[in-house]
Amino acid sequence: MEQVTHEFAEFLSTIFPFWDKITKEEQLLLCRNTHKVSYTQGANVHGVNHACTGPIIVISGKVRAYMLSEDGKDITLYRLFPNDLCMLSASCVIEAITFDVYIDAEVDTEAILINSAVFSGLSKKNVYVENFALKTATARFSEVMWTMQQMLFMKFDKRLAVFLIDELARTGGDTVFLTQEQIAKYMSSAREVVSRMLKHFSSEGLVKVSRGEVKVLDKKGLKSLL
């Protein structure tokens, strides 16, 4: 049996829990149909041409997944950071995905892209691959539903507090290095609404707002809004 020594073998074996459940030939096939891609800031990663891009794994940088209305308004669904994997870009693998998801690079980004047809073929033949794809997509879909729940049922002060606390948990430290326009985009809101609420938070001593950043002064105070 041929030993799998392809450059992506070790990386994929750490990403996919089904790695030992597929044959050596299938491992090699997957490796040979995996490649690195680079996107400049603002580039579309998935969605514009409505093709099935395939599973995407972010190596460096970050991307944003969103839905787009007919009048051009977008709603941020979730964001992907290094080592995050997205299956919603592989609608041909999971046929139940019937809505259009767009993914753009927020900054210059490097990622791993797996050929959609090859992954789809493995998924149809191997229940472990299929189960992984479904579980991963379901986890992302849960994030989508959480986003919708926030937008529909949560007051904006609570939504903004959740956003700031989540950002601190992800990056560490006490400062969110985002502009008010970026925060508004990620929260699918208007910049004026974000600005007004941050001004209120500032007057309450919860945050300090500077150009391109928001420093959290009272995390417990923000959490008390939740």
Side-chain angles (χ1 to χ4, degrees), residues 65-205:
Y66 60 97
M67 294 181 70
L68 197 61
S69 68
E70 292 183 358
D71 61 0
K73 182 179 180 180
D74 63 72
I75 298 176
T76 299
L77 301 177
Y78 54 84
R79 294 152 70 205
L80 298 173
F81 302 95
N83 296 320
D84 282 344
L85 181 146
C86 180
M87 285 298 303
L88 295 190
S89 56
S91 55
C92 53
V93 179
I94 306 173
E95 296 177 357
I97 300 175
T98 57
F99 55 93
D100 292 327
V101 175
Y102 297 84
I103 302 175
D104 290 349
E106 293 185 317
V107 297
D108 291 349
T109 297
E110 287 192 347
I112 296 293
L113 185 62
I114 300 172
N115 181 278
S116 57
V118 169
F119 197 91
S120 179
L122 287 178
S123 178
K124 290 175 181 177
K125 292 194 303 180
N126 190 301
V127 67
Y128 293 99
V129 180
E130 181 184 40
N131 183 57
F132 170 80
L134 290 173
K135 286 180 66 176
T136 304
T138 299
R140 290 297 174 199
F141 191 67
S142 294
E143 291 185 50
V144 172
M145 294 306 296
W146 169 238
T147 298
M148 296 303 177
Q149 182 181 1
Q150 285 184 299
M151 292 179 61
L152 293 172
F153 304 117
M154 192 179 290
K155 291 183 178 180
F156 192 77
D157 59 343
K158 184 175 180 179
R159 285 183 61 202
L160 183 56
V162 168
F163 178 86
L164 294 175
I165 291 170
D166 284 350
E167 282 295 301
L168 293 185
R170 184 183 64 80
T171 61
D174 60 3
T175 303
V176 175
F177 294 98
L178 295 171
T179 66
Q180 293 180 33
E181 184 174 353
Q182 287 174 312
I183 294 173
K185 178 186 291 185
Y186 299 151
M187 296 185 65
S188 302
S189 183
R191 183 188 181 282
E192 294 75 15
V193 176
V194 172
S195 178
R196 187 161 55 245
M197 189 56 66
L198 284 176
K199 188 175 295 185
H200 171 67
F201 282 1
S202 180
S203 69
E204 295 292 316

Side-chain angles (χ1 to χ4, degrees), residues 9-17 19:
E10 184 176 355
F11 175 76
L12 294 181
S13 69
T14 63
I15 295 294
F16 295 134
W19 189 253

